[in-house]
Amino acid sequence: MSSQTLPADDAPQTDGFRLVIDALKLNGIDTVFGLPGIPITDLTRKMQAQGLRVISFRHEQHAGNAAAAAGFLTQKPGICLTVSAPGFLNGLTALANATVNCFPMILISGSSEREVVDLQQGDYEEMDQLAIAKPLCKAAFRVLHAQDIGVGVARAIRAALSGRPGGVYLDLPAKLFSQSMDAEAGRKSLIEVVDPAPRQIPAPDAVERALALLEGAKRPLILLGKGAAYAQADADIRALVEKTGIPYLPMSMAKGLLPDNHALSASAARSHVLAEADVVMLIGARLNWLLSHGKGKTWGADKGTSNKNQQFIQIDIAPTEIDSNVAIAAPLIGDIGSCVSALLAGIDAKWAKPPAEWTGGIAERKDKNLSKMAATLELDPSPMSFQSALAVIRDQVKARPDAIVVNEGANTLDFARSIVDMYEPRKRLDVGTWGIMGIGMGFAVAAAVTTGKPVIAIEGDSAFGFSGMEVETICRYNLPVCVIVFNNNGIYRGTDVNLGGGADVAPTVFVKNARYDKLMEAFGGVGVHATTREELRAALTEAVASGKPTLINAVIDEAAGTESGRITSLNPQAAAKKK
Ligand code: ADP
Ligand code: TZD
Ligand code: MG
């Protein structure tokens, strides 16, 4: 234990440690995800002493991912705390990813002595962290004096939450923590941030423009993105869909905003509605690669062009997002809650629902595709296919719609996204805008810690490997997480061969028949080796009911996957084709 103790509540002097903790607590932060070491070891102890929950990880990237997920789920910035240089860099990927995903988080890193770092004299873990973080996040701040801690924390919180949410870096040099100051002056220096994410009310003429376009549509479509999930305007978004009668498509993390079995969900007719819609209203979704940039065949147009018969309404808090890929006829700039309620105010009983030709056509395609899918899900091949294993998880999520699903991998991701229906908002966390591997265990820990609900992490075997050691963290905090590793012996599949013919296996292939379940057992959790779907069903049902940390090694046909899952076409093709 440290010899130092925190200044007591009635002590005449306070210090940097105490002020950092008080500033966070004053702003409603109750949990910190991190990894101790010089110069923040004592800070983590003192945080715990002061009633903050400190979740200590095995690698900073996963602490950072946990902070990002906590930010998305709670609309409070998730806090990740790391040591200097290498710890900071390990957390930085998560900070950049949070920023790309528009999740609010603050990476707080201790740093080495400024005087030494700036003269490059070779300090312990020397690095100009502020300069490195700056281009990778929304904002970056450094606090040099104890009396500025309150301002530094307040600015970080505001920067993370206001406007488009994102990642913020806060640099706390080692010397700051032991600086002392008058306790009363210290208390007065702290800032409780008032209205950290101010509502941004859309302009009335922008609302009218959007309503006019929507009302004139013959084949309207609403597209919900993870910004809509983040905004927590669930009831109004549902009312907008239901009152207008407009079919909607959820992006992966917007699934469950309305239940996936909702009559107006067009998910099972995705390619039809994207290509045929005449007016598309985007709510918290960017027209990036995940939506083919609003162009080409997906949208019923020629390659590289937009569909001349299609117009867009876009609701977003970031004005510069508009026209980023195709022309937006009706931008609606503001926070989603305010924008959607303004639209609702303009929709009365006289609102004409979309023509039956449009909705009927969608329903027909949905029925056809859903019954095709149902037939596939009934099959029970041996070894299990992605679909047969996911059918089991689909049933479990239906039975426990409050469970949170975490999902990463390639085939494991793509199949799970379309097979596992979600019923409640913000219950699905996945690889997000970058399609990044490694979020799995960090997101799972955050979901369990912030909600207390069961977590089901559906993981490709490669994807799991990026954060696998955090099963110890899951066991240590006894979190209700069930990890299901879709073990197909490799990246995409386990059947590739070494093109050079040597003894090494192909770069995408792993040790055959690995037993990931033993990893969980090593730390006292429950490990299950499941080769049939009845074994999988029994283990998953038991895991969710018991809340015990569990890892199910689900053996999947190693030949079943496709290269890069559903984004095969993004692989560069050799210019010289084989004859
Ligand atoms: P998806 O990947 O699900 O399509 P994106 O991450 O591409 O979603 O888009 C999310 C969008 O939501 C971003 O452009 C972001 O600016 C926007 N956004 C996030 N929060 C809000 C909010 N509260 N109000 C309005 N827009 C928001
Ligand atoms: N590294 C990082 C950080 N992110 C990535 N997306 C990749 C590498 C590349 N990659 C993918 O895009 S998916 C994937 C990798 C390595 C793993 C796919 O294998 P899996 O899933 O076992 O997780 P399936 O079910 O076998 O397809
Ligand atoms: Mg795999």
Side-chain angles (χ1 to χ4, degrees), residues 34-374:
L35 204 161
I38 296 170
I40 51 107
T41 316
D42 262 348
L43 183 61
T44 60
R45 293 191 184 108
K46 291 169 194 233
M47 284 174 156
Q48 218 170 27
Q50 289 297 306
L52 285 171
R53 182 137 200 230
V54 180
I55 305 293
S56 187
F57 281 74
R58 305 301 295 261
H59 186 293
E60 292 87 350
Q61 188 174 126
H62 313 307
N65 285 327
F72 169 75
L73 291 171
T74 64
Q75 291 186 332
K76 276 193 279 182
I79 308 291
C80 174
L81 181 62
T82 80
V83 303
S84 24
F88 156 78
L89 286 173
N90 284 345
L92 201 53
T93 305
L95 185 69
N97 188 42
T99 308
V100 165
N101 280 335
C102 314
F103 296 168
M105 81 170 267
I106 302 173
L107 174 65
I108 303 179
S109 297
S111 58
S112 303
E113 297 314 329
R114 287 255 42 88
E115 295 81 352
V116 185
V117 172
D118 287 348
L119 274 170
Q120 298 169 39
Q121 294 174 305
D123 204 357
Y124 168 72
E125 300 193 343
E126 175 180 297
M127 177 173 276
D128 187 0
Q129 296 165 198
L130 187 73
I132 289 165
K134 233 174 221 169
L136 296 171
C137 58
K138 254 187 100 177
F141 305 100
R142 175 185 291 138
V143 182
L144 291 176
H145 302 296
Q147 64 266 31
D148 293 331
I149 287 171
V151 169
V153 169
R155 299 209 74 188
I157 290 172
R158 254 186 213 291
L161 288 177
S162 60
R164 172 182 278 177
V168 175
Y169 176 60
L170 187 61
D171 193 85
L172 303 183
K175 267 187 191 165
L176 180 73
F177 298 111
S178 47
Q179 283 178 28
S180 63
M181 67 181 288
D182 175 72
E184 181 55 25
R187 265 190 293 279
K188 286 193 175 140
S189 72
L190 301 183
I191 296 175
E192 184 175 0
V193 177
V194 176
D195 196 13
R199 285 198 303 153
Q200 295 190 25
I201 314 293
D205 55 328
V207 175
E208 272 168 39
R209 192 187 296 120
L211 279 171
L213 191 55
L214 204 56
E215 202 159 15
K218 296 275 170 297
R219 299 182 305 281
L221 175 69
I222 292 175
L223 233 155
L224 301 172
K226 59 181 171 298
Y230 173 76
Q232 300 195 14
D234 310 334
D236 273 0
I237 287 173
R238 186 169 184 153
L240 181 70
V241 169
E242 291 178 344
K243 279 195 176 156
T244 59
I246 297 176
Y248 74 95
L249 260 187
M251 299 298 286
S252 65
M253 282 181 61
K255 276 165 69 75
L257 210 42
L258 284 84
D260 275 334
N261 56 0
H262 195 283
L264 287 167
S265 166
S267 289
R270 188 176 193 272
S271 47
H272 172 69
V273 292
L274 289 179
E276 297 298 326
D278 64 349
V279 173
V280 180
M281 180 157 72
L282 301 157
I283 307 184
R286 287 169 284 188
L287 279 175
N288 56 15
W289 71 280
L290 287 159
L291 284 168
S292 310
H293 304 283
K295 291 182 254 191
K297 208 172 140 234
T298 307
W299 295 90
D302 291 332
K303 198 172 176 213
T305 70
S306 53
N307 182 338
K308 296 288 166 272
N309 303 316
Q310 213 161 49
Q311 288 183 291
F312 288 94
I313 301 166
Q314 184 162 23
I315 302 183
D316 207 291
I317 202 152
T320 50
E321 185 56 39
I322 307 303
D323 300 333
S324 56
N325 286 273
V326 300
I328 303 297
L332 195 50
I333 303 306
D335 69 279
I336 286 166
S338 301
C339 290
V340 171
S341 74
L343 289 175
L344 277 173
I347 291 164
D348 53 21
K350 288 186 298 208
W351 181 272
K353 299 217 162 159
E357 214 184 321
W358 174 236
T359 44
I362 296 170
E364 228 170 81
R365 277 176 179 80
K366 265 178 70 174
D367 287 347
K368 212 171 88 196
N369 291 338
L370 288 174
S371 57
K372 230 174 24 194
M373 159 109 84

